[in-house]
């Protein structure tokens, strides 16, 4: 048999797929990267991380101008929202970044194939192109990085106009008067914040009795209080049983999870954000023997290899946090393993960030997890109201909370609600990667005045010796 054309064919060009393609090429492999979207970058770049962060930033600037800058002695007259221009800027940022990835793939001599891929057999990928033609790629190894899609809810039909998923919510043509969000998770809070800042009345309906499941409970409680003050209304322990478009609006039926009377709610737009599920449709996995777990995630071993030798998977389509940087980490490690190197990812060191304002960031164990595992721990906390940089900018909501082992002082988890929490968490991740103790952080010199000082003070608080509180 003749040699295959490629060492690696990657299916999916999201932050998992394109990073794996580049790393494999750096390591000397001949690589092709297939995606059915013409634009590279997957969900993250096209309809996820990037457009949502653009709108979060723009809407924050609008709210600053509307509500906060007067405090600084800056007043406006005739302030206007130009939603069209805001959306156009978002599109431009996405398009520029997409072109950036195109440049990187070219630079690394990766063949780009646009079309829907099916794995015919180990070592053989067939690609159905938009123009009807089919192309067959032969390869030593195949990497599946096909990502995820929004979960659906029975009785709630998404039309991306009145009843939208995150994709529709990133491109509304006007600010809805009333927006109801189903799900108080990351998407619900980020996109709920965007539209609330732009003027919508936002109600978030959540099945559980708390927001942001999986986050440290003390932090999620504090965050809820702050969001409530910002104008978000929360209806916790409620389930939506149906939503139907009526004229220009949507009618929702909601009932208490514990049982009780159903209630009808009305909205102009409803955002369904109840989680995401792995996307593996059309790959032909069943016939190949690649197995899925009960939630539809592809099962892989610690080398990211599926049950079928030579077929690997990474990113949102395998278990673990559904985050772009997790997909990217797995991508590099998987490429290195394919090149004969070793690699390992510690999922306890993958940070999570919610880009609301204040931001919420977390790494490692929550207090609830430590209790459940019977680990004895110490807590150190420091509020941003006592942080001088927070005072100078007026960002005094929130707290840094560090959890350390009661005996060894090793840092086990860090949870931050506060300004720039998404950047501050990097210090905690590095500390944990190096097996730092809380004292190591406490003895690290933090610049003054900086938000980072709150991290140093929270670490000092573990030993009961914070200075500024
Ligand atoms: P994806 O990005 O989903 O890419 C998969 C690609 O595979 C797609 O382009 C798809 O077209 C292609 N594909 C699928 N099947 C086939 C096939 N058969 N043939 C060819 N191509 C195929 N994460 C963060 O870390 N930070 C954030 O701020 C953040 N914000 C988000 C905001 C929103 C609104 C959403 C929805 C998600 C957000 N995420 C964020 C999550 C992040 O987008 C995902 O974790 C990430 O995109 C997963 O990367 P991936 O490479 O596994 O898959
Ligand atoms: P999520 O899992 O974060 O939150 C979903 C919420 O919906 C949960 O609170 C859940 O209890 C609730 N829910 C589930 N079923 C419900 C029902 N029937 N009625 C009412 N509430 C219900 O999922 P979300 O927000 O859709 O985001 C999906 C994923 O996308 C995230 O988990 C994350 O991995 C990724 N993402 C990451 C971002 C970031 O890193 N900043 C931003 C946006 C998304």
């Amino acid at each position: 048999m003749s040699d295959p054309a490629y060492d690696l064919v990657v299916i999916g060009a999201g932050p998992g797929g394109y990073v794996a393609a580049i790393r494999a090429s750096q390591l000397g492999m001949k690589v092709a990267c297939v995606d059915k979207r013409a634009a590279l970058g997957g969900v993250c770049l096209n309809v996820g991380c990037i457009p949502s962060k653009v709108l979060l930033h723009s809407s924050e600037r609008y709210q600053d101008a509307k509500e906060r800058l007067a405090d600084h002695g800056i007043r406006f007259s005739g302030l206007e929202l130009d939603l069209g221009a805001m959306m156009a800027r978002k599109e431009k940022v996405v398009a520029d970044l997409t072109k950036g990835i195109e440049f990187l793939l070219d630079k690394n001599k990766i063949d780009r194939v646009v079309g829907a891929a099916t794995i015919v057999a180990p070592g053989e990928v067939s690609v159905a192109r938009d123009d009807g033609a089919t192309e067959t790629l032969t390869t030593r190894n195949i990497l599946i990085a096909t990502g995820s899609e929004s979960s659906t809810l029975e009785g709630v039909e998404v039309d991306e106009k009145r009843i939208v998923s995150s994709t529709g919510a990133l491109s509304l043509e006007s600010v809805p008067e009333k927006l109801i969000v189903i799900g108080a998770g990351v998407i619900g809070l980020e996109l709920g914040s965007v539209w609330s800042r732009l003027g919508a009345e936002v109600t978030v309906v959540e099945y559980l009795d708390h927001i942001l499941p999986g986050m440290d409970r003390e932090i999620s409680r504090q965050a809820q209080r702050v969001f409530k003050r910002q104008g978000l209304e929360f209806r916790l322990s409620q389930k939506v049983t149906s939503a139907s478009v009526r004229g220009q609006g949507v009618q929702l039926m909601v009932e208490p999870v514990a049982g009780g009377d159903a209630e009808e709610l009305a909205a102009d737009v409803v955002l369904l954000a109840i989680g995401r599920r792995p996307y593996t449709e059309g790959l032909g996995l069943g016939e190949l023997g690649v197995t899925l777990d009960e939630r539809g995630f592809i099962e892989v071993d610690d080398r990211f290899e599926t049950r079928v030798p030579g077929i690997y998977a990474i990113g949102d389509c395998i278990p673990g946090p559904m985050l772009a940087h997790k997909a990217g980490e797995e991508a590099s490690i998987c490429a290195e393993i394919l090149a004969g190197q070793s690699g390992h990812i510690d999922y306890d060191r993958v940070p999570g960030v919610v880009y609301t304002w204040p931001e919420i960031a977390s790494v490692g164990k929550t207090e609830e997890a430590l209790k459940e595992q019977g680990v004895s721990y110490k807590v150190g906390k420091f509020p941003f109201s006592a942080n001088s940089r927070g005072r100078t900018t007026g960002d005094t909501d929130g707290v840094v909370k560090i959890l350390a082992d009661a005996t060894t002082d090793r840092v086990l988890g860090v949870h931050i609600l506060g300004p720039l929490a998404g950047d501050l968490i990097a210090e905690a991740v590095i500390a944990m990667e190096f097996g730092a103790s809380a004292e190591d952080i406490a003895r690290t010199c933090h610049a003054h005045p900086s938000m980072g000082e709150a991290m140093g003070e929270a670490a000092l608080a573990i030993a009961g010796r914070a200075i500024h509180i």
Side-chain angles (χ1 to χ4, degrees):
M1 210 173 100
S2 60
D3 272 357
Y6 294 101
D7 295 307
L8 179 65
V9 169
V10 181
I11 306 175
Y18 85 77
V19 171
I22 293 174
R23 187 68 191 116
S25 169
Q26 285 175 343
L27 291 162
M29 289 176 235
K30 176 73 190 140
V31 184
C33 185
V34 189
D35 201 301
K36 45 187 167 189
R37 264 177 232 266
L40 296 166
V43 165
C44 171
L45 215 158
N46 291 286
V47 288
C49 325
I50 300 302
S52 59
K53 265 77 262 180
V54 175
L55 291 185
L56 277 156
H57 189 77
S58 297
S59 59
E60 232 169 84
R61 300 287 74 77
Y62 176 63
Q63 200 185 33
D64 278 351
K66 214 166 57 166
E67 288 169 17
R68 297 183 70 199
L69 289 181
D71 255 13
H72 297 252
I74 304 166
R75 291 185 195 282
F76 293 87
S77 59
L79 182 73
E80 264 182 59
L81 171 67
D82 182 345
L83 187 62
M86 196 180 274
M87 290 293 174
R89 179 176 178 277
K90 175 204 71 171
E91 296 302 328
K92 179 161 182 343
V93 174
V94 169
D96 287 350
L97 284 172
T98 298
K99 282 192 209 100
I101 297 173
E102 231 169 271
F103 164 80
L104 292 174
L105 293 196
D106 284 351
K107 184 183 137 192
N108 285 283
K109 301 193 170 33
I110 294 158
D111 287 343
R112 253 195 85 193
V113 185
V114 181
T118 301
I119 305 174
V120 181
E124 195 180 331
V125 175
S126 150
V127 183
R129 294 203 313 242
D130 272 356
D131 61 9
T134 301
E135 193 175 339
T136 299
L137 311 173
T138 58
T139 175
R140 283 180 216 287
N141 292 299
I142 296 168
L143 175 59
I144 304 169
T146 49
S148 63
E149 61 179 357
S150 303
S151 298
T152 51
L153 181 62
E154 213 186 306
V156 182
E157 190 85 24
V158 169
D159 62 12
E160 297 296 12
K161 291 229 168 321
R162 293 276 157 199
I163 305 180
V164 297
S165 70
S166 53
T167 301
L170 288 167
S171 295
L172 297 181
E173 283 166 9
S174 59
V175 180
E177 234 170 83
K178 172 118 190 109
L179 171 72
I180 294 184
V181 179
I182 311 176
V186 196
I187 292 179
L189 293 174
E190 287 189 353
L191 296 181
S193 293
V194 165
W195 292 107
S196 158
R197 291 166 187 166
L198 297 181
E201 191 189 309
V202 177
T203 302
V204 185
V205 182
E206 166 60 47
Y207 188 86
L208 299 173
D209 64 358
H210 58 279
I211 68 168
L212 292 170
M215 284 272 175
D216 188 273
R217 202 61 79 80
E218 187 181 5
I219 296 288
S220 80
R221 263 196 306 269
Q222 268 204 39
Q224 191 189 335
R225 277 200 294 273
V226 177
F227 297 142
K228 196 166 169 225
R229 212 176 60 223
Q230 291 174 356
L232 296 191
E233 195 200 325
F234 290 96
R235 307 275 304 245
L236 303 181
S237 307
Q238 302 270 323
K239 64 177 175 197
V240 172
T241 51
S242 71
S244 41
V245 176
R246 301 261 172 85
Q248 291 305 301
V250 185
Q251 227 72 44
L252 263 96
M253 293 309 294
V254 176
E255 58 186 54
V257 171
D261 292 341
E263 194 185 336
E264 193 173 300
L265 303 178
D268 300 294
V269 175
V270 168
L271 163 59
L272 179 66
I274 58 164
R276 295 183 62 80
R277 61 184 181 206
Y279 181 80
T280 55
E281 235 174 82
L283 286 172
L285 299 186
E287 299 82 61
L288 286 165
V290 171
T291 54
L292 307 181
D293 69 13
E294 70 286 352
R295 293 163 62 211
F297 289 99
I298 299 176
E299 291 180 314
V300 291
D301 62 15
D302 56 3
R303 301 173 67 251
F304 302 106
E305 196 164 23
T306 67
R307 291 280 170 86
V308 179
I311 303 182
Y312 296 75
I314 54 159
D316 274 15
C317 65
I318 69 166
M322 293 172 115
L323 296 171
H325 43 282
K326 174 262 196 186
E329 284 293 302
E330 290 174 342
S332 296
I333 294 169
C334 183
E336 286 161 13
I337 288 172
L338 285 173
Q341 302 178 2
S342 55
H344 165 76
I345 179 166
D346 183 343
Y347 292 101
D348 247 1
R349 309 275 181 275
V350 175
V353 179
V354 188
Y355 291 86
T356 45
W357 195 263
E359 293 177 350
I360 307 165
S362 135
V363 63
K365 302 278 186 238
T366 61
E367 209 172 334
E368 291 71 37
L370 292 176
K371 276 190 188 133
E372 202 181 300
Q373 290 162 16
V375 177
S376 58
Y377 60 91
K378 295 177 289 185
V379 186
K381 286 187 264 189
F382 191 80
F384 283 95
S385 55
N387 170 273
S388 52
R389 187 69 195 276
R391 287 275 171 182
T392 64
T393 62
D395 295 301
T396 50
D397 281 327
V399 64
V400 175
K401 172 174 179 179
I402 301 183
L403 302 165
D405 188 284
T407 317
T408 64
D409 197 37
R410 195 183 174 110
V411 178
L412 302 174
V414 177
H415 308 279
I416 309 172
L417 168 71
L420 302 179
D423 290 300
L424 294 178
I425 201 71
E427 176 181 355
V429 179
I430 290 184
M432 289 175 72
E433 277 290 349
F434 283 83
S437 63
E439 189 181 352
D440 289 325
I441 298 180
R443 290 193 181 278
T444 300
C445 185
H446 292 86
H448 175 76
S450 69
M451 304 296 184
E453 284 176 294
M455 183 80 83
E457 289 270 15
L460 282 168
I462 288 212
R465 58 189 196 89
I467 301 290
H468 292 93
I469 196 148

